[in-house]
Amino acid sequence: MATETWFLLTYKVPAEPNRRRVALWRKLKSMGAVYLQSGVCLLPKTDDHRRALKVIENEIAEMEGEAVLLETVALDKAQGDKVLARFRADRDEEYRELLGRCDDFEAEIAKETTSNHFSYAEIEENDEDLKKLRSWYEKIRRLDFYGATLAAEAEARLAKCEVLLDAYANQVFALQEENRGSSGEA
C-alpha cells in the first residue's frame, strides 16, 4: 500500500480585518482542506493543490501573516486512518446536507402532485432546483478525495429526484394534451 502524502499548511494571520481571515478559511475549505486545528490544515498532495497553496502562502504574506507549507505523511497507519476519516467526515457532512435538500425536493414534487398542481412553471422551477442539486453534488464529489460513505447514497438520491421530476413532467404533459383535446370538442 502506498503511503498517502499531504500538504500541511500552518498559518497565522492578523485578527483584523476579520473578513480577510474568513475569506482565507473559505478558500481553503472550498479546496477540500481538512482543519486539524485553527490555522492548521491538510490537503492531498497534488500539483493543483501545490499551486493553489503557494498562491495562498503569498496572500497570507500580503496580509502580514505567517505561513509554513510542508509535505507530510502519517507516522503510522492509525494516524493516516485518522486523517482519512476526517476527510471523509467533512464530505459526509456535506453529502448529509445535500440529502436533506433532496428530501425537500421530493417533498415539493409530492406536494404539487397531491394538490394536483401540474404546470409548466412548476416543471421549470423544479428543473432549476434539480440542476442546483446536481451542481452541488459535483462540487462535493470533486472534493471527495477518499470516498466518503454517503457518496453513493447521494448519487442514488439525485437519480431518484430526476425520476420523480420526469414522472411529474410526464403528468403535466399528459394533462396539457388532455386539455387541448377536450377544448377542441364543443
Side-chain angles (χ1 to χ4, degrees):
M1 183 175 149
T3 302
E4 187 67 41
T5 308
W6 296 284
F7 289 124
L8 174 73
L9 174 67
T10 66
Y11 65 90
K12 185 176 180 180
V13 293
E16 296 298 327
N18 187 46
R19 66 177 167 67
R20 292 175 82 185
R21 191 173 71 245
V22 170
L24 175 63
W25 178 84
R26 282 186 178 148
K27 183 181 284 189
L28 287 161
K29 290 299 279 184
S30 75
M31 293 170 56
V34 166
Y35 273 79
L36 302 178
Q37 63 184 37
S38 181
V40 180
C41 61
L42 287 173
L43 277 164
K45 180 185 173 192
T46 67
D47 290 341
D48 286 344
H49 289 153
R50 178 190 310 272
R51 283 189 295 274
L53 288 170
K54 291 301 283 180
V55 169
I56 288 171
E57 179 185 29
N58 187 54
E59 290 173 4
I60 291 169
E62 288 174 1
M63 289 182 216
E64 298 180 9
E66 301 171 14
V68 175
L69 182 56
L70 303 170
E71 188 176 308
T72 190
V73 296
L75 185 60
D76 55 38
K77 183 176 179 342
Q79 295 301 314
D81 288 347
K82 284 182 188 178
V83 170
L84 295 180
R86 292 285 299 273
F87 275 102
R88 289 180 184 122
D90 278 9
R91 295 302 78 79
D92 275 340
E93 186 178 320
E94 292 174 351
Y95 283 129
R96 206 170 284 108
E97 191 175 340
L98 175 71
L99 289 167
R101 296 288 171 89
C102 287
D103 289 342
D104 296 343
F105 182 88
E106 292 167 5
E108 175 65 19
I109 296 289
K111 182 186 95 176
E112 298 301 338
T113 301
T114 302
S115 64
N116 289 320
H117 187 234
F118 297 102
S119 71
Y120 288 118
E122 280 300 321
I123 294 173
E124 287 180 46
E125 182 181 318
N126 288 310
D127 190 48
E128 278 303 309
D129 291 344
L130 185 58
K131 285 177 186 169
K132 289 175 187 173
L133 289 174
R134 276 194 214 111
S135 174
W136 187 12
Y137 167 77
E138 287 302 321
K139 180 181 172 195
I140 298 167
R141 194 180 60 74
R142 278 192 306 275
L143 301 178
D144 189 1
F145 308 121
Y146 302 107
T149 57
L150 293 176
E153 183 180 344
E155 187 174 358
R157 285 293 294 283
L158 272 178
K160 180 182 176 188
C161 288
E162 185 146 356
V163 167
L164 286 172
L165 181 58
D166 286 346
Y168 175 79
N170 286 334
Q171 287 180 291
V172 171
F173 300 149
L175 285 170
Q176 295 299 327
E177 284 299 314
E178 199 176 284
N179 289 340
R180 277 191 215 124
S182 64
S183 67
E185 303 173 12

